[in-house]
Amino acid sequence: MKRVKTGIKGFDELVQGGLPEGASILVTGSPGTGKSIFGLQFLFNGATKFHEKGLYVSFEQLKKDIVNQASQFGWDMMKLEREKKIEILCIPITKVTQDTVIMIKNKIKKEKIKRVVIDSLTTLTVNAPIYSMTKDLTIKDVVNDNTVFSPPIVGDFLVKHFIYSFIEGLQEFETVTTILISENSTEPGYMSRDTVSEFACDGVILINFESLGGDYSRSLIVRKMRQTKNDEDVHPVEISEHGIVVHQLK
Ligand SMILES: Nc1ncnc2c1ncn2[C@@H]1O[C@H](COP(=O)(O)OP(=O)(O)OP(=O)(O)O)[C@@H](O)[C@H]1O
Ligand SMILES: [Mg+2]
């Protein structure tokens, strides 16, 4: 199987040399753990080291903020965009519809994109109920005539359906590797905020933040990676001046 190298120092060796080509990988963790930086670094390295074109889709940040964050690590996203090696697409969450995934898929096809980052599924989840007045799913499909569900339960079902179909839509491309960013779950036993994407995705990378006074406050663990004998240890994570570095526990 072809492996897609993230080029993130210390990471690829945890997953047999890289992410499985075509996989959808959930990167989950609490706020400020470095999830977006992980995604940016995946695309920057893809464009500059591996000749793979990248698409960054953000539902939560302005383009200038993404570009500024990247520039702190010396990654010139505007230059890469001019060279057509990367595209940053910022979609205000209020503009997301059922057709957004179709638009993203068309762009992937047309621009021959190989690496995609979706930032974030959580923003989609929080806002999904308003777009879940779906064309293909009505309330009647969810509840039968004899059952009474309260609106939050129906809403929850619709959100999960929306997230599932969003991820499935992106999984159709066999040679496009996708990172989907999520906040971690507030419910015990789950890894993502929406509680379904860890099942839908082919791999899960969890980044934790816990300052205990040691060298690094962040740690990373590969929780799942289909078709891969993945490392199962917790690894300290550093956000250095060159971006994310994954260390081995001493
Ligand atoms: N130049 C830098 N050098 C070192 N650390 C940095 C630098 N810039 C940002 N950081 C760290 O990275 C964090 C932001 O990383 P990032 O935006 O990837 O987090 P995130 O997990 O995506 O957060 P959120 O869930 O809020 O979107 C900051 O909180 C800060 O701790
Ligand atoms: Mg982020």
Side-chain angles (χ1 to χ4, degrees):
M1 176 203 301
K2 196 176 162 206
R3 295 279 161 182
V4 176
K5 287 187 192 304
T6 64
I8 293 171
K9 206 170 166 209
F11 178 79
D12 292 326
E13 46 267 45
L14 306 184
V15 288
Q16 292 190 301
L19 304 172
E21 183 181 48
S24 54
I25 309 295
L26 183 74
V27 174
T28 180
S30 49
T33 42
K35 305 179 296 294
S36 297
I37 296 172
F38 191 101
L40 285 169
Q41 198 164 353
F42 172 65
L43 295 192
F44 177 81
N45 287 341
T48 57
K49 296 180 184 166
F50 307 114
H51 307 291
E52 293 198 342
K53 193 166 176 182
L55 173 67
Y56 194 95
V57 183
S58 178
F59 301 116
E60 51 191 48
Q61 280 184 289
L62 296 175
K63 188 160 178 172
K64 71 171 173 51
D65 294 333
I66 296 167
V67 169
N68 285 345
Q69 173 71 83
S71 73
Q72 293 187 6
F73 305 111
W75 309 332
D76 189 343
M77 294 304 203
M78 292 310 287
K79 178 169 172 276
L80 290 172
E81 208 170 46
R82 283 194 298 276
E83 293 170 352
K84 305 232 175 294
K85 293 176 178 169
I86 270 181
E87 181 165 346
I88 299 173
L89 191 63
C90 294
I91 308 175
I93 194 66
T94 49
K95 297 273 190 301
V96 175
T97 67
Q98 291 291 316
D99 296 332
T100 302
V101 72
I102 297 171
M103 185 271 283
I104 293 171
K105 281 165 67 176
N106 286 341
K107 193 175 269 298
I108 290 170
K109 262 187 248 165
K110 188 162 163 262
E111 310 286 341
K112 298 192 169 58
I113 303 279
K114 301 296 282 183
R115 299 181 179 216
V116 177
V117 174
I118 304 292
D119 195 0
S120 69
L121 284 180
T122 309
T123 324
L124 277 183
T125 312
V126 170
N127 295 275
I130 43 172
Y131 339 113
S132 292
M133 306 304 160
T134 58
K135 288 181 225 145
D136 57 344
L137 182 81
T138 69
I139 287 291
K140 285 207 181 71
D141 297 323
V142 186
V143 296
N144 67 42
D145 291 342
N146 307 319
T147 320
V148 179
F149 283 104
S150 62
I153 291 175
V154 176
D156 188 51
F157 181 92
L158 291 173
V159 168
K160 287 175 178 162
H161 181 272
F162 181 84
I163 294 293
Y164 244 114
S165 55
F166 187 88
I167 296 173
E168 268 177 15
L170 293 173
Q171 281 173 330
E172 280 169 26
F173 300 99
E174 284 180 9
T175 58
V176 179
T177 310
T178 305
I179 284 184
L180 299 125
I181 295 173
S182 167
E183 266 182 42
N184 55 3
S185 180
T186 49
E187 287 182 54
Y190 293 100
M191 287 180 249
S192 69
R193 183 59 59 94
D194 58 62
T195 72
V196 291
S197 45
E198 59 262 47
F199 299 103
C201 286
D202 302 306
V204 179
I205 298 163
L206 177 64
I207 313 181
N208 278 314
F209 190 102
E210 198 172 8
S211 184
L212 295 172
D215 287 345
Y216 307 114
S217 315
R218 294 171 178 81
S219 62
L220 174 150
I221 182 164
V222 180
R223 287 296 307 269
K224 153 174 166 183
M225 196 63 61
R226 287 182 185 142
Q227 303 176 59
T228 304
K229 183 173 175 3
N230 61 276
D231 179 286
E232 293 175 352
D233 290 337
V234 174
H235 293 269
V237 166
E238 174 190 8
I239 304 184
S240 76
E241 57 183 322
H242 303 298
I244 289 179
V245 180
V246 180
H247 294 280
Q248 292 286 338
L249 259 186
K250 285 179 194 134

Short mmCIF file of all heavy atoms in Angstrom, two decimals, residues 20 38 42 61 78 119 171 183 204 210 220:
data_model
loop_
_atom_site.label_atom_id
_atom_site.label_comp_id
_atom_site.label_asym_id
_atom_site.label_seq_id
_atom_site.Cartn_x
_atom_site.Cartn_y
_atom_site.Cartn_z
N PRO A 20 -2.17 5.79 5.30
CA PRO A 20 -2.54 5.00 4.13
C PRO A 20 -3.15 5.91 3.06
O PRO A 20 -4.02 6.73 3.37
CB PRO A 20 -3.61 4.04 4.67
CG PRO A 20 -3.50 4.09 6.16
CD PRO A 20 -2.94 5.43 6.51
N PHE A 38 -1.24 20.92 12.70
CA PHE A 38 -0.97 19.58 12.14
C PHE A 38 -1.47 19.51 10.70
O PHE A 38 -0.78 19.06 9.79
CB PHE A 38 -1.67 18.52 13.02
CG PHE A 38 -1.28 17.10 12.73
CD1 PHE A 38 -0.37 16.43 13.54
CD2 PHE A 38 -1.84 16.40 11.66
CE1 PHE A 38 -0.01 15.10 13.29
CE2 PHE A 38 -1.48 15.08 11.39
CZ PHE A 38 -0.56 14.43 12.21
N PHE A 42 0.76 19.20 7.23
CA PHE A 42 0.50 18.08 6.31
C PHE A 42 0.42 18.60 4.87
O PHE A 42 1.00 18.03 3.94
CB PHE A 42 -0.80 17.40 6.75
CG PHE A 42 -1.33 16.34 5.84
CD1 PHE A 42 -0.64 15.16 5.63
CD2 PHE A 42 -2.58 16.50 5.20
CE1 PHE A 42 -1.15 14.16 4.80
CE2 PHE A 42 -3.09 15.51 4.38
CZ PHE A 42 -2.37 14.34 4.17
N GLN A 61 -12.08 29.71 10.58
CA GLN A 61 -11.07 30.78 10.64
C GLN A 61 -11.07 31.60 9.36
O GLN A 61 -11.45 31.11 8.28
CB GLN A 61 -9.68 30.16 10.81
CG GLN A 61 -9.37 29.74 12.23
CD GLN A 61 -7.94 29.23 12.33
OE1 GLN A 61 -7.63 28.16 11.83
NE2 GLN A 61 -7.08 30.02 12.95
N MET A 78 0.54 31.79 0.89
CA MET A 78 0.10 32.62 -0.23
C MET A 78 0.93 32.32 -1.48
O MET A 78 0.41 32.24 -2.59
CB MET A 78 0.20 34.12 0.12
CG MET A 78 -0.78 34.57 1.19
SD MET A 78 -2.50 34.06 0.87
CE MET A 78 -2.93 35.14 -0.47
N ASP A 119 -11.43 21.65 8.49
CA ASP A 119 -11.27 22.27 9.81
C ASP A 119 -12.51 23.13 10.13
O ASP A 119 -12.60 24.25 9.70
CB ASP A 119 -10.00 23.12 9.79
CG ASP A 119 -9.54 23.51 11.18
OD1 ASP A 119 -10.20 23.14 12.15
OD2 ASP A 119 -8.50 24.20 11.26
N GLN A 171 -14.73 10.09 1.24
CA GLN A 171 -13.99 8.82 1.19
C GLN A 171 -14.02 8.17 -0.19
O GLN A 171 -13.36 7.17 -0.40
CB GLN A 171 -14.55 7.83 2.23
CG GLN A 171 -14.04 8.12 3.64
CD GLN A 171 -14.72 7.26 4.69
OE1 GLN A 171 -15.86 6.87 4.52
NE2 GLN A 171 -14.03 7.00 5.78
N GLU A 183 -13.00 18.64 17.66
CA GLU A 183 -12.74 18.76 19.10
C GLU A 183 -13.04 17.43 19.74
O GLU A 183 -13.88 16.67 19.25
CB GLU A 183 -13.62 19.85 19.71
CG GLU A 183 -12.93 21.18 19.75
CD GLU A 183 -13.78 22.25 20.40
OE1 GLU A 183 -14.44 21.96 21.41
OE2 GLU A 183 -13.78 23.35 19.86
N VAL A 204 -7.57 7.49 13.63
CA VAL A 204 -7.82 8.53 14.64
C VAL A 204 -6.51 8.89 15.33
O VAL A 204 -5.79 8.02 15.83
CB VAL A 204 -8.83 8.06 15.71
CG1 VAL A 204 -9.04 9.15 16.76
CG2 VAL A 204 -10.16 7.65 15.10
N GLU A 210 -1.94 18.64 28.60
CA GLU A 210 -1.91 18.49 30.06
C GLU A 210 -0.56 19.00 30.54
O GLU A 210 0.47 18.35 30.34
CB GLU A 210 -2.08 17.02 30.44
CG GLU A 210 -2.49 16.83 31.89
CD GLU A 210 -2.83 15.37 32.17
OE1 GLU A 210 -2.61 14.52 31.29
OE2 GLU A 210 -3.30 15.10 33.27
N LEU A 220 0.55 13.04 21.95
CA LEU A 220 -0.21 12.50 20.81
C LEU A 220 -0.23 10.98 20.89
O LEU A 220 0.75 10.35 21.31
CB LEU A 220 0.48 12.96 19.53
CG LEU A 220 0.02 12.47 18.17
CD1 LEU A 220 0.30 13.55 17.12
CD2 LEU A 220 0.73 11.18 17.76
#
